Amino acid sequence: MEESLDAVFMKRCLELAEKGAGSVSPNPMVGAVIVHEGAIIGEGCHERFGGPHAEVNAIASVSRKELLVGSTLYVNLEPCSHFGKTPPCSDLIIETGIPRVVTGCRDPHEAVAGKGIAKLLAAGVSVTEGVMERECMKLNEAFIKSHTRGLPFVAVKLAETLDGKIATSLGASRWITGEESRREVHRLRAVYDAVLTGEATVRLDDSLLTVRNCEGRNPLRVILDRRMNLPLDAGIFNAEAPTIVFASKERRGVGKVQQLKELGVEVAFVADHAGGLDLKAVLQELQRRNVLSLLVEGGSRLSASFVRENLADKLYLFIAPKLFGSDALSSFGPLGVSMPEESVKLCFEPPRFFGRDILLEAYVEQ
C-alpha cells in the first residue's frame, strides 16, 4: 500500500522532533514541517526547554511568508493553546493564515488537551488528526505518561548473558557486554531525565552514572540508600552531575544528611515498604521534580521490585553471546510467579545489534 503524503511529512516531523531528546524535557519533543504545493518550504523543532516551539521555528524558517496562506503545517503533537514560557502556537498559526494543519496526536497536558485543535477549527483552519498516531505517541511516551498517570516513565536496563545472568557466582560483572553496548547505554543516559540505582550496585560497581562514551548531558543521579550506608567518599558523590539520595524516613535526623548536602547531594525521605523503600513514593517525588523519564540501572532485586510492583514500563535487555550457568546471579529476583499464567507479559520491539550483542527492547504489559 502506497504511503500517503501526510505520513511522509509526518515522518520528517518525527525525525526533527528527536533532535530535542535530552534537552527539551519536561516539555515534549516536537518537530514541524511546512509544505507548499508538495514541497517543504520550512521546518523546525523544539530545541531546548524554554526556547521557541517547533511551529515557531518552522514558520520563522520560511523565506517567503506570503506562501504560508496556501500551505499545510505538519506537527507531531497538537499545537499549544496557552501562555507558558512562550506564546500559544495555535494563535501564531491562525495569524499567519496557514489554512491546514496535520497533527500526529493530541497533547495530554491539561492546559492543552484538545484546546489547541478547537481554537484552530474555530478560526476556520482545516485540521487532520491522528496521522502516524502510534509513532507520535511512542516518541513522547514519557511526556504522555507523566500527564495522564502522574508518574515518570520507567525503563529497566540490564546487561546479561544468553542464559539470563548479570554476574558470575563470585559477583563479577565487568564486562558482560561489549563496548558498543556500553556506548548505547551512555546514549540512553543522555536522553533520560534521571538514572536510578541502589546502594549495593554503587558499592559493587563503583557506579558513576554519568555520560562518558558519547556526547550528551548528564542525567539526574538517583540513589536508593535506605539506611544511608554509602561512604561520603563514594565516586558517585562527585560534582559531575546533580545527585539525590532517597533514604528511609527513620534516618531523617542522621548527621550524614548535612554532610551530603555539603557535598551538593540532595537527600529525600520516603516511607519503607516490603523491606525496602516505597518505590512508588520515590517516583512521585521525582515527578514533583519534573522527572518525566527514569532509567533504572540496578541489580536483580531492584529490577524485580520495579517489575513486580507494576512500576516498570519498558525493559532494555543487552544480551551478550555468553553463558554463566545456574550458579550465577539471575537478571531478576523473585517476581512472585507460581503459575505460567501469572508471568509478566512483554511486547517486544524489533531487535538491534551492537557489536556481537543483541538489544531486546520490551514493553511491560500492564
Side-chain angles (χ1 to χ4, degrees):
M1 184 175 178
E2 187 176 345
E3 190 174 39
S4 72
L5 280 177
D6 282 351
V8 169
F9 294 126
M10 189 58 69
K11 276 187 177 180
R12 179 56 182 161
C13 287
L14 291 172
E15 291 172 356
L16 292 166
E18 282 189 291
K19 294 182 178 181
S23 58
V24 301
S25 184
N27 281 352
M29 292 176 279
V30 184
V33 171
I34 299 174
V35 176
H36 180 77
E37 295 182 353
I40 295 177
I41 61 170
E43 58 182 30
C45 68
H46 185 33
E47 298 175 357
R48 59 178 177 79
F49 177 68
H53 287 188
E55 300 93 322
V56 176
N57 286 330
I59 290 171
S61 74
V62 177
S63 57
R64 295 177 59 192
K65 296 296 191 290
E66 69 273 13
L67 296 181
L68 291 172
V69 296
S71 299
T72 297
L73 183 144
Y74 293 83
V75 62
N76 58 291
L77 191 72
E78 174 185 4
C80 65
S81 57
H82 67 293
F83 281 89
K85 287 186 174 295
T86 59
C89 291
S90 53
D91 288 356
L92 178 62
I93 294 168
I94 294 168
E95 290 168 10
T96 55
I98 293 174
R100 181 176 182 243
V101 172
V102 178
T103 67
C105 64
R106 291 205 173 192
D107 189 332
H109 193 294
E110 62 180 1
V112 186
K115 299 182 181 70
I117 288 172
K119 184 179 285 190
L120 293 174
L121 291 171
V125 178
S126 172
V127 178
T128 300
E129 293 188 69
V131 175
M132 297 187 67
E133 184 175 39
R134 179 180 178 276
E135 293 84 351
C136 292
M137 292 182 70
K138 182 181 177 183
L139 177 69
N140 280 306
E141 57 194 1
F143 179 80
I144 291 172
K145 182 188 177 184
S146 176
H147 287 283
T148 56
R149 295 177 56 191
L151 289 173
F153 182 89
V154 177
V156 175
K157 186 278 298 182
L158 289 167
E160 60 183 27
T161 61
L162 185 59
D163 54 344
K165 307 298 180 180
I166 60 172
T168 68
S169 58
L170 298 178
S173 60
R174 288 192 175 182
W175 294 102
I176 292 177
T177 53
E179 183 179 345
E180 294 90 342
S181 291
R182 297 198 294 274
R183 187 179 300 116
E184 175 63 9
V185 170
H186 282 244
R187 189 196 68 80
L188 288 173
R189 288 177 184 173
V191 299
Y192 273 77
D193 291 338
V195 180
L196 180 147
T197 195
E199 175 252 344
T201 300
V202 174
R203 284 183 180 276
L204 185 65
D205 297 339
D206 192 24
S207 306
L208 297 179
L209 300 186
T210 52
V211 176
R212 302 181 299 280
N213 293 336
C214 66
E215 292 185 3
R217 62 97 172 94
N218 286 321
L220 169 68
R221 298 181 294 196
V222 181
I223 307 165
L224 304 185
D225 188 4
R226 181 168 170 258
R227 297 206 166 276
M228 301 180 70
N229 288 328
L230 281 174
L232 294 171
D233 60 356
I236 202 165
F237 292 144
N238 60 32
E240 294 180 22
T243 307
I244 180 171
V245 170
F246 279 90
S248 170
K249 286 183 177 180
E250 297 176 357
R251 308 295 287 173
R252 192 184 296 273
V254 176
K256 205 172 192 178
V257 174
Q258 184 57 38
Q259 292 174 298
L260 284 170
K261 289 181 178 180
E262 290 172 0
L263 292 174
V265 177
E266 186 179 358
V267 182
F269 299 95
V270 294
D272 291 336
H273 174 73
L277 294 176
D278 186 335
L279 295 181
K280 187 171 184 179
V282 170
L283 295 181
Q284 290 170 335
E285 191 62 36
L286 292 175
Q287 170 82 6
R288 282 192 282 272
R289 287 168 164 77
N290 282 328
V291 171
L292 272 59
S293 58
L294 177 69
L295 184 66
V296 177
E297 295 191 42
S300 60
R301 288 181 58 189
L302 185 60
S303 299
S305 295
F306 273 97
V307 173
R308 187 176 59 250
E309 296 180 29
N310 294 317
L311 297 174
D313 299 288
K314 186 176 185 179
L315 304 179
Y316 290 102
L317 303 177
F318 289 86
I319 302 173
K322 300 174 182 178
L323 301 172
F324 281 178
S326 62
D327 56 341
L329 181 63
S330 294
S331 304
F332 291 93
L335 291 174
V337 175
S338 56
M339 297 296 290
E341 59 267 23
E342 298 171 356
S343 63
V344 177
K345 308 298 191 302
L346 305 174
C347 182
F348 285 113
E349 293 288 288
R352 292 188 285 157
F353 281 90
F354 291 91
R356 298 180 61 202
D357 306 328
I358 186 171
L359 169 60
L360 292 182
E361 298 178 56
Y363 286 88
V364 182
E365 293 186 6
Q366 302 294 338

